[in-house]
Amino acid sequence: MEKITQKQQVIEVLRQAGGYATLRRLNELVDFSTWATKTPEASVRRIVQDSPEIFKI
């Protein structure tokens, strides 16, 4: 079984939200229980900023 990455989780939540979401909404929807980080909100922000798959408006 392939392990899903944090980036894949964020992209999947964004798809489920209809393709549009604020950072606050993403932080509410993403399940951080499997993330080994002390600052998951900062990780989501970094993923959104650095991913070419995510279009910012």
Side-chain angles (χ1 to χ4, degrees):
M1 187 169 145
E2 185 178 324
K3 185 177 178 183
I4 188 166
T5 65
Q6 292 176 354
K7 181 178 176 180
Q8 290 169 332
Q9 284 181 333
V10 171
I11 290 172
E12 185 57 34
V13 166
L14 193 55
R15 282 190 181 121
Q16 291 173 0
Y20 296 95
T22 62
L23 280 174
R24 181 178 184 168
R25 186 67 180 144
L26 283 176
N27 288 327
E28 291 171 356
L29 295 174
V30 174
D31 177 24
F32 298 127
S33 64
T34 60
W35 292 28
T37 179
K38 292 183 180 181
T39 56
E41 293 86 1
S43 297
V44 169
R45 185 173 56 248
R46 178 191 45 80
I47 290 167
V48 170
Q49 289 175 344
D50 294 344
S51 297
E53 295 92 351
I54 300 175
F55 179 77
K56 279 75 70 191
I57 56 172

